[in-house]
């Protein structure tokens, strides 16, 4: 039987800038890509409900996910498809492999669904086996490979999850 390692962890939405500092520290220690404070503020100020923090029993932030939800960029003129985007996810090293990362991802997707998302996408390094296993376990599929996507020259996979029905193929 699986143990519930998560019972001492609770999840809260972003409230104000006091949440940003611990979130940035976690992301900087987990991800190689550097982001400016303006990038973080771009996300959390427009979509605070899509920034979730995992906290331990002492209220210490031990996990974070930062997302956004916008009209699909290629189809803005033709339809009202909404695309969710998972920008960053990180869990404190000491708290990994307890289900916190997948709980953050599933909670964020659930909120995006309730906000009307039709699909959710993200990018992750092709060599990030842990993240790829997590995302594929919750239902993402590999849509494309983005060559030299990151600033350090590494490649990324674009992963996608359809929330409604996949778009029909166009037949000529
Ligand atoms: C990726 C990350 C967020 C996972 O967080 P986590 O809380 O450890 O993930 P979970 O415990 O929810 O793991 C869920 C599943 O993901 C997979 N997984 C997670 N970490 C893994 C690892 N190191 N190796 C292989 N599979 C892994 C497993 O399938 C796992 O299920 P299991 O425990 O039943 O085997 C965390 O390792 C992290 O912060 N990494 C650095 C930042 C990062 O890479 N972010 C994602 C890129 S956008």
């Amino acid at each position: 039987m699986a143990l519930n390692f998560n019972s001492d962890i609770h999840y809260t939405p972003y409230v104000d800038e006091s949440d940003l500092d611990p979130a940035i520290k976690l992301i900087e220690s987990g991800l190689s890509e550097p982001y400016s404070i303006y990038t973080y503020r771009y996300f959390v100020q427009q979509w605070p409900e899509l920034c979730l923090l995992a906290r331990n029993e002492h209220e210490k932030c031990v996990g974070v996910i930062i997302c956004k939800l916008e009209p699909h960029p290629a189809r803005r003129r033709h339809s009202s498809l909404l695309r969710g985007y998972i920008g960053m996810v990180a869990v404190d090293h000491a708290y990994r492999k307890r289900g916190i990362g997948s709980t953050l991802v599933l909670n964020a997707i659930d909120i995006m669904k309730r906000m009307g998302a039709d699909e959710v996408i993200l990018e992750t390094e092709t060599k990030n086996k842990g993240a790829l296993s997590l995302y594929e376990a919750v239902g993402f599929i590999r849509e494309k490979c983005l060559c030299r996507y990151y600033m350090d020259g590494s490649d990324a996979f674009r992963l996608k999850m359809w929330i409604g029905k996949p778009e029909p193929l166009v037949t000529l």
Side-chain angles (χ1 to χ4, degrees):
M1 193 182 80
L3 293 172
N4 183 5
F5 290 113
N6 239 343
S7 57
D8 55 343
I9 305 295
H10 57 285
Y11 299 85
T12 55
Y14 173 86
V15 175
D16 58 31
E17 286 249 339
S18 66
D19 289 333
L20 207 45
D21 194 40
I24 292 174
K25 285 201 174 83
L26 271 185
I27 292 164
E28 284 181 346
S29 72
L31 292 173
S32 57
E33 188 79 346
Y35 298 102
S36 77
I37 183 71
Y38 303 108
T39 304
Y40 290 107
R41 286 186 180 141
Y42 162 79
F43 280 93
V44 300
Q45 289 179 359
Q46 294 187 81
W47 299 276
E49 64 278 59
L50 292 178
C51 171
L52 303 175
L53 290 90
R55 298 179 188 281
N56 71 7
E57 68 276 29
H58 307 296
E59 297 302 316
K60 183 186 174 210
C61 176
V62 296
V64 62
I65 186 165
I66 296 179
C67 313
K68 66 176 179 173
L69 182 67
E70 288 184 310
H72 193 300
R75 296 187 176 80
R76 273 184 191 144
R77 270 179 278 156
H78 308 295
S79 81
S80 54
L81 271 185
L82 279 180
R83 171 182 267 191
Y85 180 73
I86 299 180
M88 304 143 201
V89 188
V91 173
D92 186 309
H93 279 92
Y95 286 80
R96 288 187 186 170
K97 299 287 280 170
R98 301 181 185 196
I100 296 173
S102 40
T103 304
L104 285 165
V105 168
L106 289 170
N107 282 344
I109 292 171
D110 194 50
I111 297 167
M112 288 191 243
K113 269 186 199 170
R114 284 188 267 129
M115 292 168 77
D118 298 285
E119 64 182 36
V120 181
I121 63 158
L122 63 97
E123 292 92 25
T124 192
E125 278 184 73
T126 53
K127 62 182 180 217
N128 192 341
K129 305 292 176 213
L132 285 168
S133 309
L134 187 165
Y135 290 125
E136 290 177 349
V138 301
F140 282 87
I141 55 134
R142 295 179 196 192
E143 187 190 38
K144 59 173 90 159
C145 187
L146 305 164
C147 192
R148 300 179 62 79
Y149 180 76
Y150 292 106
M151 285 174 74
D152 67 1
S154 53
D155 302 334
F157 283 124
R158 161 78 50 80
L159 304 184
K160 186 182 251 191
M161 174 190 276
W162 280 275
I163 304 238
K165 285 189 204 147
E167 290 167 54
L169 290 173
V170 177
T171 46
L172 299 173

